[in-house]
Amino acid sequence: MVADKKLIQLNKDLWLRFLKGDDDAFVQLYTLNVDAMLNYGLHFTPLRDQIKEAIQDVFVTLYSKRQKLSQVENVRVFLFVALKNNLFLLFNKDKKHYQIDTVEPVFSLELSAEDAYIINEREIELKQCVQQMLNLLSHRQREVIYYRFTEGLSYEEICVLMKMNIQSVRNLLHRSITKIRETHMEHNKSFHF
């Protein structure tokens, strides 16, 4: 948690330097956040080249509109929102990559092959169990679970990313956890929310 606060503060400091015209701070912002943005983008599509293009567009837009930007509380959340919007525009051109019912990019929590290679057998079994539980959830429910428990975002930050009010986010998270618990009671002892 301390590391998260340090990262948030470092991003904030770099952002302020960037707004004042420091190109080195801009490069550092990119370097510090590009991997997290790529990983975030992979939850919407496996098409790495399109994600990289969308990330590039985010940073080009930031640089070109620097004078119009202002201070933000959490730079990474700001970058995630910008990336999600860019992916939405990209997917809007290619309709097979988004959900018909919500007209949004499909958020997925698929496990990568790299993860399976690195972790031991017990962890694989647990991840498979978690994946089965998550597959029972809607895309929005999976998305809120990811933001809260994987990214450790606050309810307010999740509201920004999901374009929902705080009570709706709380309700969605509660319904998601309840659905997991009700469906997999035998696994409940291993997972403490």
Side-chain angles (χ1 to χ4, degrees):
M1 203 60 149
V2 173
D4 291 341
K5 288 181 181 182
K6 286 183 180 180
L7 177 64
I8 290 170
Q9 188 58 50
L10 176 59
N11 266 324
K12 203 176 205 181
D13 294 343
L14 289 170
W15 181 262
L16 290 174
R17 286 178 38 208
F18 160 64
L19 293 180
K20 292 177 183 176
D22 185 340
D23 287 341
D24 185 51
F26 179 73
V27 171
Q28 289 178 40
L29 270 173
Y30 176 85
T31 304
L32 187 61
N33 292 287
V34 69
D35 290 337
M37 292 174 74
L38 178 62
N39 288 335
Y40 177 69
L42 287 170
H43 290 290
F44 293 99
T45 179
L47 304 174
R48 287 178 177 268
D49 289 340
Q50 288 184 332
I51 298 167
K52 289 176 183 178
E53 180 182 327
I55 292 170
Q56 191 74 19
D57 288 346
V58 167
F59 282 95
V60 167
T61 302
L62 287 177
Y63 194 83
S64 65
K65 296 186 178 187
R66 177 185 348 211
Q67 289 77 23
K68 296 178 183 178
L69 298 173
S70 59
Q71 184 176 348
V72 294
E73 195 58 37
N74 189 323
V75 174
R76 183 156 290 173
V77 169
F78 179 85
L79 293 172
F80 280 5
V81 169
L83 177 59
K84 185 177 180 182
N85 290 339
N86 277 6
L87 288 173
F88 177 78
L89 292 173
L90 187 67
F91 295 152
N92 205 19
K93 294 176 187 174
D94 186 3
K95 306 246 187 232
K96 70 181 180 181
H97 292 290
Y98 67 82
Q99 290 176 231
I100 294 169
D101 60 337
T102 62
V103 193
E104 286 190 6
V106 175
F107 187 87
S108 172
L109 286 172
E110 296 295 319
L111 298 175
S112 72
E114 295 167 6
D115 287 342
Y117 180 77
I118 294 170
I119 56 180
N120 67 36
E121 291 297 319
R122 177 65 180 141
E123 289 171 328
I124 292 172
E125 183 182 315
L126 288 174
K127 283 192 176 196
Q128 288 172 342
C129 180
V130 169
Q131 188 65 47
Q132 288 172 353
M133 286 185 222
L134 291 173
N135 285 338
L136 299 171
L137 303 177
S138 71
H139 295 291
R140 296 292 275 177
Q141 288 173 320
R142 279 184 260 169
E143 189 174 359
V144 76
I145 292 282
Y146 171 80
Y147 292 144
R148 186 69 178 146
F149 298 112
T150 303
E151 287 297 323
L153 300 180
S154 69
Y155 289 107
E156 292 80 9
E157 293 166 334
I158 296 170
C159 289
V160 171
L161 280 166
M162 295 187 77
K163 298 179 183 172
M164 297 170 68
N165 66 46
I166 198 159
Q167 189 58 49
S168 296
V169 167
R170 288 180 187 275
N171 291 344
L172 181 61
L173 188 60
H174 177 74
R175 283 192 310 272
S176 303
I177 292 169
T178 301
K179 187 171 184 177
I180 290 171
R181 284 185 173 156
E182 288 174 352
T183 307
H184 292 284
M185 291 300 276
E186 67 276 7
H187 297 290
N188 229 8
K189 296 173 187 167
S190 302
F191 302 96
H192 301 287
F193 296 103

